[in-house]
Amino acid sequence: NNNNNTTTTTTTTSSTEPMSTVDVIDLAISFPQDPFFVQLVTGVSSVFAAPSAPATITGAPNNELVGLRVAILNPQDNADEFLSVVANGFSVIYNANTFELEVVGTASVDTFASIISQITYSNTAASRTAGVRTIEFIVFAGRSGVGVSQTFVEVVGGELTSTTTSSSTTTSTSTTTTTTTSTSTSTSTATTTSTSTST
């Protein structure tokens, strides 16, 4: 009897690199002024939460991001403080329960840096709680790429003064200031009429 025995050897190579690290992207975001502090003074209800100079974002594949999340980490005045931005062509969602603003869409890092510089922090509370608010910025480049940075808004407490600005008129109300409006009427006889009104 002729017995032909064939032995097949299968070699399996296994990687010791954890799967969780395979697709990790070294994504980072930083601001020209670090740390960046801005003050929300009395009489003003909103301020930009990031420097006007664009943020630096590095490590994004193809220099593209897929989203941005900005959050107030320590709100003090409930729904009276919030974040907002105008970003045409993107999905912009603000969650008033978590104080998080999301901007979703694929674009270059330069486009997202421009959007970040336009993020606005607002506080419309009649009597604002003084203190520093921490604003966290998170950029995303795919599922595994995340970069985080923070800025700080110092809110001056007290009452929000009544200051209204329209396209051409600014009206200020104060207990110690009297606003006088004078009207000049020009006639052919060049006569000036002065009217004094006491309220």
Side-chain angles (χ1 to χ4, degrees):
N1 293 329
N2 293 325
N3 293 326
N4 295 324
N5 295 324
T6 303
T7 301
T8 303
T9 302
T10 302
T11 302
T12 302
T13 303
S14 60
S15 173
T16 57
E17 184 178 14
M19 288 296 293
S20 61
T21 65
V22 172
D23 296 324
V24 169
I25 302 167
D26 187 16
L27 187 64
I29 172 175
S30 61
F31 293 104
Q33 299 165 255
D34 188 15
F36 174 75
F37 279 85
V38 64
Q39 191 176 67
L40 185 68
V41 299
T42 303
V44 177
S45 61
S46 61
V47 67
F48 289 127
S52 57
T56 299
I57 303 170
T58 58
N62 301 318
N63 279 329
E64 285 188 340
L65 299 175
V66 297
L68 164 70
R69 181 183 299 149
V70 188
I72 307 171
L73 297 186
N74 56 336
Q76 306 287 323
D77 293 315
N78 300 317
D80 287 324
E81 54 185 322
F82 52 91
L83 299 167
S84 61
V85 72
V86 175
N88 295 326
F90 293 81
S91 174
V92 178
I93 305 167
Y94 181 73
N95 188 327
N97 295 319
T98 60
F99 300 91
E100 291 180 341
L101 175 71
E102 289 191 350
V103 180
V104 180
T106 301
S108 69
V109 294
D110 290 342
T111 297
F112 272 95
S114 178
I115 293 172
I116 288 171
S117 67
Q118 298 299 311
I119 299 290
T120 300
Y121 167 86
S122 299
N123 191 319
T124 58
S127 182
R128 303 190 300 208
T129 304
V132 175
R133 310 297 196 269
T134 301
I135 313 298
E136 183 176 69
F137 294 79
I138 305 177
V139 291
F140 298 91
R143 185 172 55 185
S144 301
V146 178
V148 182
S149 190
Q150 295 178 344
T151 63
F152 305 92
V153 177
E154 182 185 1
V155 177
V156 177
E159 295 184 0
L160 182 64
T161 59
S162 177
T163 302
T164 304
T165 303
S166 66
S167 58
S168 59
T169 304
T170 301
T171 303
S172 298
T173 303
S174 172
T175 57
T176 59
T177 303
T178 303
T179 301
T180 304
T181 302
S182 61
T183 303
S184 177
T185 304
S186 177
T187 66
S188 58
T189 58
T191 301
T192 302
T193 303
S194 178
T195 303
S196 177
T197 304
S198 178
T199 302

